[in-house]
Amino acid sequence: MARSKGEITEITAGGIVFCGDKVLVLRNHKGGWVFPKGHVELGESHEQAALREVLEESGVHATIVDQAGTSTFHFYSYLDRAVHRKIVYWFEMETADTVVSVNRELQGGAFVAPADALRLLSFANDVGNLKAVLERRAGHVRSGSER
């Protein structure tokens, strides 16, 4: 975390995880539907953090297949009386694991059809990132150079 002019910047990473044609969504402690993500630890790459967070939060072993964009949002914390800017580095992932086993910080999780995920997801950033990944997976948009 970095602090500048009353703002704390948090760097996090997460995964948009597919099992076949379904995508992983998790229900957080507030009842919102999200993708797995968390803080990047000291000495850890964004990719390593994303894979670790997916495993810790869902019990799913995944592999990264591509980058999936970034999200930035702000929130105010009454605990430290500061504005936090959270930057999330997202990665498209795949897994063969079909069982989701969430940790105690979450209420539940499941692999669902992408259309259901788009309806369930609680944050516009997550919806936008999923739509972009789905378009790319359908072959409409390629990341990086043409193959």
Side-chain angles (χ1 to χ4, degrees):
M1 281 191 282
R3 188 176 197 123
S4 67
K5 298 182 184 175
E7 183 178 275
I8 298 172
T9 299
E10 300 178 35
I11 305 296
T12 62
I16 300 173
V17 184
F18 289 86
C19 180
D21 63 350
K22 299 201 174 188
V23 65
L24 175 65
V25 292
L26 304 176
R27 190 149 196 193
N28 67 23
H29 66 283
K30 294 179 182 177
W33 290 94
V34 298
F35 293 126
K37 69 177 179 305
H39 290 93
V40 176
E41 302 292 339
L42 186 63
E44 192 175 46
S45 70
H46 298 149
E47 293 86 350
Q48 290 168 327
L51 290 167
R52 177 183 50 76
E53 288 292 341
V54 166
L55 180 60
E56 287 178 359
E57 292 188 355
S58 69
V60 169
H61 294 84
T63 57
I64 293 174
V65 295
D66 208 343
Q67 296 179 7
T70 60
S71 300
T72 303
F73 58 95
H74 293 79
F75 64 93
Y76 182 80
S77 171
Y78 289 97
L79 294 175
D80 59 9
R81 298 178 184 226
V83 173
H84 291 247
R85 178 175 69 132
K86 188 173 279 197
I87 301 170
V88 186
Y89 292 88
W90 292 106
F91 296 91
E92 177 186 350
M93 300 181 185
E94 292 181 353
T95 186
D97 293 353
T98 57
V99 176
V100 177
S101 178
V102 298
N103 67 22
R104 67 182 186 279
E105 297 173 359
L106 298 160
Q107 292 183 12
F111 285 100
V112 300
D116 293 332
L118 290 169
R119 278 195 312 278
L120 287 171
L121 288 167
S122 299
F123 300 103
N125 283 337
D126 289 348
V127 171
N129 285 332
L130 178 56
K131 284 180 178 180
V133 169
L134 291 171
E135 286 176 9
R136 187 170 56 245
R137 287 173 72 90
H140 297 139
V141 177
R142 289 180 183 250
S143 77
S145 61
E146 296 248 339
R147 296 181 178 104

